Amino acid sequence: MIGFSGRAESSSSDEESSKRPKESNKAKISRACVRTSPSDNSLIVRDGYQWRKYGQKVTRDNPSPRAYFKCSFAPTCPVKKKVQRSAEDPSILVATYEGEHNHAHPSPAELSLSPNSNTIATPRSSAPSPPKSSITPTVTLELMQPAGTLAMAAEDQTKKAGDSPAAIQQILVQQMAASLTRDPNFTAALAAAISGRVVDQTRIEKW
DNA sequence: CGACTTTGACCGGCGC
DNA sequence: GCGCCGGTCAAAGTCG
């Protein structure tokens, strides 16, 4: 056994850009905000793919542990997922997707964006969470930053609003209230928000 | 028996 | 140059 440093990564296949794992410019980064039960300790977010947890760490930014996932459905899938509970709302999980799936969905049944329908196709029964009867509808927002144009603008806005925690809290409350409303209107509102007022929704980026 | 989750340790990068 | 932090890997344990 190579007791020391087994992850030397002696240039297996990626050498055209593996030089800069830091430059997330290439990797597509999307963020998803998922509401879960506060008692749900598992940082498992079901998005239709099968993920394998490969690590967990507690960061200084957030007292909650951050979980690291890899796509277990396709070993060649470069997608990575980071899931961390929101520091402000323990009932909200923020999932950060890095990269893109280069394979089809193992179970094209859900994919979120359907707050009204509980089409949670639990492919596996590995859900230690309590009965979903009292669980609020899962709302997933996918925000992609193509080049950073929008992200930058959003960040700017977030920074301005970030000065006032109250502002963020208000937005958060708005979100929670909206998702709690679980009204058909919420879907339209959400779509409209994502379509037009992305800036308002983008505050998730700062979370 | 196989697959998945969990925990600890190690390494690399960045900041001071 | 040293210290800190984030990220990843590997081994062991548990559950189905």
Side-chain angles (χ1 to χ4, degrees):
Chain A
M1 285 244 194
I2 312 126
F4 64 95
S5 65
R7 97 186 80 8
E9 286 191 24
S10 31
S11 66
S12 291
S13 48
D14 54 77
E15 61 173 87
E16 47 175 317
S17 62
S18 75
K19 254 91 178 278
R20 269 187 199 203
K22 217 165 118 59
E23 298 244 348
S24 44
N25 215 0
K26 286 187 65 142
K28 230 165 143 168
I29 298 187
S30 35
R31 224 157 282 199
C33 181
V34 182
R35 276 187 59 90
T36 83
S37 169
S39 34
D40 188 3
N41 292 328
S42 59
L43 295 167
I44 298 177
V45 178
R46 303 208 151 279
D47 53 6
Y49 290 95
Q50 203 164 354
W51 300 93
R52 182 175 62 84
K53 188 176 182 180
Y54 67 88
Q56 184 172 325
K57 233 356 193 344
V58 178
T59 58
R60 294 197 62 195
D61 261 6
N62 204 329
S64 313
R66 176 182 299 175
Y68 301 90
F69 294 90
K70 272 182 184 174
C71 187
S72 68
F73 184 74
T76 56
C77 193
V79 181
K80 283 185 287 188
K81 184 170 77 166
K82 285 183 274 191
V83 180
Q84 186 168 33
R85 208 182 292 278
S86 172
E88 299 290 327
D89 292 85
S91 55
I92 297 178
L93 289 181
V94 180
T96 307
Y97 296 85
E98 289 184 22
E100 253 187 297
H101 292 278
N102 52 12
H103 59 88
H105 287 113
S107 56
E110 38 172 326
L111 233 277
S112 51
L113 258 202
S114 21
N116 221 347
S117 50
N118 314 340
T119 39
I120 303 183
T122 48
R124 277 171 19 206
S125 53
S126 166
S129 45
K132 330 163 182 245
S133 316
S134 58
I135 294 185
T136 41
T138 311
V139 179
T140 309
L141 301 181
E142 274 193 51
L143 305 175
M144 296 197 296
Q145 34 187 97
T149 324
L150 216 136
M152 272 175 81
E155 219 171 19
D156 198 39
Q157 295 275 348
T158 313
K159 246 152 207 184
K160 284 175 188 172
D163 246 16
S164 303
I168 294 181
Q169 200 154 26
Q170 191 173 350
I171 298 172
L172 262 163
V173 172
Q174 252 182 46
Q175 257 269 322
M176 276 166 57
S179 94
L180 279 172
T181 311
R182 109 169 121 163
D183 210 84
N185 271 338
F186 174 54
T187 315
L190 190 64
I194 295 175
S195 254
R197 304 179 51 117
V198 184
V199 181
D200 265 346
Q201 302 282 326
T202 331
R203 96 240 93 87
I204 294 171
E205 297 276 343
K206 186 64 223 278
W207 290 11

